[in-house]
Structure formats: structure tokens, C-alpha cells
Amino acid sequence: MKIETIAIHAGNHPNSEGKPAIQPITLSTTFEHHPEEAYIYTRAANPNRKSLENVLAKLEGGAEAAAFSSGNAAGMAVFQSLPVGSHVIAADDMYHGLSKQLKELFKGILEVTFVDLSNPDNFKNAIQPNTKLLWIETPSNPLLKISDIKALVAIAKSKNITVACDNTFATPIFQNPLKLGADLVMHSTTKFLGGHSDILGGALITAKVDDMWEKIRNVQHTGGAVPSPFDCYFLTRSIKTLPYRMKGHLANTTALAAYLSKHPQVEKVYYPGLPSHEGHQVAASQMNGYGSMLSFCVKGDAQTAEKVISKLKLYTNATSLGGVESLIERRAAVEGPDTLTPQNLIRVSVGLEHIDDLIADMDQALS
Ligand SMILES: *Cc1c(COP(=O)(O)O)cnc(C)c1O
């Protein structure tokens, strides 16, 4: 089946009284004991979570998926499943909430090296005898750097290193890391999969059910950072329109990137869909679309960037991404004083408003 069909049908198992067309929300936390015992207690499994996990696994071409209460909880489950003393290699521009986990929560438990993964040699050179996990994030935040998943997997496989990829920016519509050889995919479903800025969630998808996956399942069940049946229901509902939302996001972002690259007040545009982007070739080889996140630097300083943001009417100055509404923020302000992000950089999550309105608003703000 094609992705549009999977998105609509793989998460829908109406199996109850009256034959509803849409699966109802099963709020019950407990289930009557039964010889087959499909469900016992909602922390371990729930029909809505099962449907959500089914559609997530199918979208990424994986064997199974595990849903969590946030993207951070999903990432943490991977780190918690590693033996104590393991060495992790991660992207130096890894999502800050997850690098914070590694630096603070896993201090003394895991060893970590952060490298620029857009050059696979940096990964090769950082490998130690106890390296157990490579954590990729591509495209990355906020410079939209691209890592070559296949090239990194080839190096990792020769050393028995598990490869996990944070696929939040790309979505399963534009990139499937498992098909490129990765072992695990992670999503913050809060972003494009939820798509309406009203659900917090995370997910892991595995290529195969192995020891590592059994450990991750145990962290999910026993750790208990699971989404509610209500959240699972809404996320499954959102996913039905994901393929079509991504087509609209992509068309708008392509047009906005082209507009910005020609604007005299714009110093530089970071979007992997632009041939001028450093990672364009690799992105073209491993993505079906370049996503809908872009960053640009205005000519000027932090204040100039803040001024542009304050003049915008359609783009909300807020963190997060992936909703139908356009969001904008000056990343350096969010990342704090030791950030390497240029002070005049503005990140945009391009929404689904009409592109003419998005460009007209940007035009008046930049003039
Ligand atoms: C938001 C985000 C996360 C964390 O997800 P939460 O749902 O906020 O916990 C992880 N990775 C990336 C790339 C993100 O954008």
C-alpha cells in the first residue's frame, strides 16, 4: 500500500459494539482477565496505543513501534536501554533537550562524544571500544545540516554500533532511516505527526525485534512514560492527513525559500532544498522532499532579526514546529548565551496558510 492509504487505515481498528467506522477511545485502565489476555492494564498496552503504534511502524517500514508521552521520553528510553558505561556518539547540534539528558541525567552512567556528523569521518574518528550507539539527527536544528545516513550506517555496522535517527524534521513522508539501514527511528510526534500544536508525544520505531528492542519495551511498560488513550486517539487521527499536510508544507517552504534567497535584506538561507545548501546532494539522495523547516539570517544583528519578527502578523513568535500555523523564532535567544547559532538567524516552521499571504507578510516585515 502507498503511504496515503497506510496513514488512513493502518491505525484504525474499530472492533466494538455497533460497528463504528472509527475506532472509539478505550479509556478503561484495566481489562477483564481473559484466556488470551490481549490487554491487562493500560500502562502495558491499550487498544488506542496499539493502533497508533501500528500506523507508526508501517509509516517507517519498521517491525514495531513504541509510543511515549513525549519525544524526550522516547529518546530517554533508548539511552536507558544501554549498558552502564556505554559510549554514545551524537550530533553536535542534537536537539538540545536530548543532549541535556546525555550531559546531565546520564552523567556518570553513559560516556558521550558530540561530533559534526555531516562529515562521516568525524564519527569514525570518535569510535571507542565501548561505543554502543550512534545518534543521528538529519536535517538538524537550526542550520538544517544533513548527515549521510547510509555512509554512517556502513561505518557503524562494521563496529556493531546501534544506529538511531531522530527523524522529527523529515517526517516518515520525506525520509525513512530504517530503509537506509538504521536500527531505530525516533520522532517527537508533538511536531508534524500531531500537526496542530495540541498533542505532546514521542515514538520509537525499530527495524527488528531484538534484545535492544525488548529493553526499550521494558522501559516503556515499566518506566511508564506512556501517552494516554486520548492522546493516542488524537495522534492517530492527525496522522491520517500527514501525507497531504506534508505536500502543502513542502510546496510553501520551497516557495518561501526561493523568495527569501532573492531578498536584498537576507544574508543567507538554510534550506536543504536549495542547491546552494551544503547538504543538498546528500539530502536529494536520501529524502523524498526537503521538509518544511528553514532558517535565514537577516542582514544586521540580533535586534534587526527581532524587529523583523515583531513586524510579522501571520507567523507566531513561538518555539516548536510542525503545526498547520507558521511559527517563527530567533533561535539564539532560545538557546542561551553559549549558543553557536548566529544571532541574526530566524528559524521558520512554514505552515499551511496560503503562500501568497505568507510571502506578503514576510515582505512587509523585511521592508
Ligand atoms: C521537539 C523535538 C524533540 C523533543 O520532543 P518533545 O515532544 O518536545 O519531548 C526531539 N527532537 C527534535 C528534533 C525535536 O524537534
Side-chain angles (χ1 to χ4, degrees):
M1 279 194 297
K2 304 286 189 201
I3 203 122
E4 291 84 354
T5 317
I6 292 171
I8 292 169
H9 290 285
N12 192 34
H13 290 276
N15 185 22
S16 62
E17 213 181 315
K19 298 210 180 295
I22 299 301
Q23 182 175 352
I25 306 177
T26 305
L27 290 172
S28 186
T29 51
T30 188
F31 298 83
E32 202 174 306
H33 286 301
H34 187 271
E36 283 147 41
E37 298 221 325
Y39 298 102
I40 300 166
Y41 187 59
T42 274
R43 174 156 47 70
N46 166 281
N48 296 100
R49 200 164 88 218
K50 191 160 190 180
S51 291
L52 171 61
E53 291 177 346
N54 195 42
V55 68
L56 287 168
K58 294 236 158 65
L59 286 177
E60 285 289 8
E64 282 189 19
F68 292 84
S69 54
S70 70
N72 266 22
M76 184 145 162
V78 177
F79 308 144
Q80 285 174 319
S81 301
L82 296 170
V84 171
S86 297
H87 177 234
V88 177
I89 299 173
D92 58 357
D93 53 357
M94 178 188 206
Y95 175 72
H96 66 100
L98 290 174
S99 66
K100 194 164 186 269
Q101 281 186 6
L102 289 170
K103 286 180 212 156
E104 294 175 13
L105 305 184
F106 290 91
K107 195 175 173 192
I109 299 169
L110 298 174
E111 258 184 81
V112 193
T113 308
F114 296 100
V115 297
D116 179 354
L117 289 177
S118 61
N119 178 356
D121 286 341
N122 294 337
F123 165 51
K124 200 188 236 166
N125 296 335
I127 295 173
Q128 303 177 7
N130 61 337
T131 306
K132 291 276 189 284
L133 176 73
L134 168 67
W135 188 274
I136 306 174
E137 184 181 330
T138 181
S140 72
N141 182 25
L143 297 181
L144 289 303
K145 278 203 291 194
I146 302 293
S147 301
D148 187 334
I149 300 175
K150 262 191 191 164
L152 290 165
V153 163
I155 300 165
K157 287 271 143 85
S158 71
K159 303 274 179 187
N160 254 327
I161 298 167
T162 298
V163 179
C165 185
D166 184 339
N167 206 29
T168 302
F169 272 37
T171 80
I173 308 305
F174 295 142
Q175 181 172 274
N176 299 120
L178 301 182
K179 293 178 186 163
L180 300 166
D183 302 290
L184 293 166
V185 163
M186 180 239 142
H187 281 284
S188 166
T189 56
T190 312
K191 313 295 166 56
F192 293 98
L193 280 82
H196 298 72
S197 309
D198 55 6
I199 312 166
L200 193 76
L204 294 172
I205 301 105
T206 187
K208 54 185 185 304
V209 178
D210 54 9
D211 279 0
M212 179 74 175
W213 186 249
E214 298 297 347
K215 284 183 190 149
I216 286 170
R217 274 282 186 218
N218 191 25
V219 172
Q220 183 198 29
H221 296 175
T222 310
V226 292
S228 71
F230 207 74
D231 287 348
C232 294
Y233 170 83
F234 268 112
L235 193 49
T236 308
R237 184 184 194 276
S238 290
I239 285 172
K240 292 178 190 182
T241 56
L242 178 70
Y244 284 93
R245 281 188 282 114
M246 294 321 296
K247 284 177 204 182
H249 279 297
L250 178 62
N252 278 359
T253 313
T254 306
L256 188 66
Y259 161 80
L260 287 169
S261 359
K262 287 192 214 109
H263 200 287
Q265 287 310 113
V266 174
E267 186 180 281
K268 184 164 181 171
V269 181
Y270 298 89
Y271 182 58
L274 293 172
S276 59
H277 189 276
E278 256 178 65
H280 178 68
Q281 289 301 332
V282 176
S285 74
Q286 67 187 15
M287 300 180 83
N288 307 316
Y290 302 99
S292 85
M293 294 302 296
L294 69 77
S295 296
F296 66 99
C297 291
V298 292
K299 281 189 186 148
D301 55 11
Q303 270 180 324
T304 325
E306 292 286 359
K307 201 163 168 213
V308 170
I309 290 174
S310 72
K311 282 165 85 181
L312 288 165
K313 296 186 178 78
L314 269 182
Y315 305 72
T316 305
N317 182 7
T319 200
S320 199
L321 55 119
V324 294
E325 60 288 309
S326 294
L327 300 178
I328 202 154
E329 74 180 344
R330 194 171 70 81
R331 275 311 285 179
V334 182
E335 289 167 3
D338 42 311
T339 180
L340 298 174
T341 300
Q343 291 294 325
N344 58 344
L345 180 139
I346 296 175
R347 188 187 78 175
V348 193
S349 172
V350 185
L352 293 177
E353 299 91 345
H354 196 283
I355 187 60
D356 293 353
D357 296 327
L358 289 178
I359 288 179
D361 193 28
M362 191 59 83
D363 212 49
Q364 63 79 22
L366 283 170
S367 67

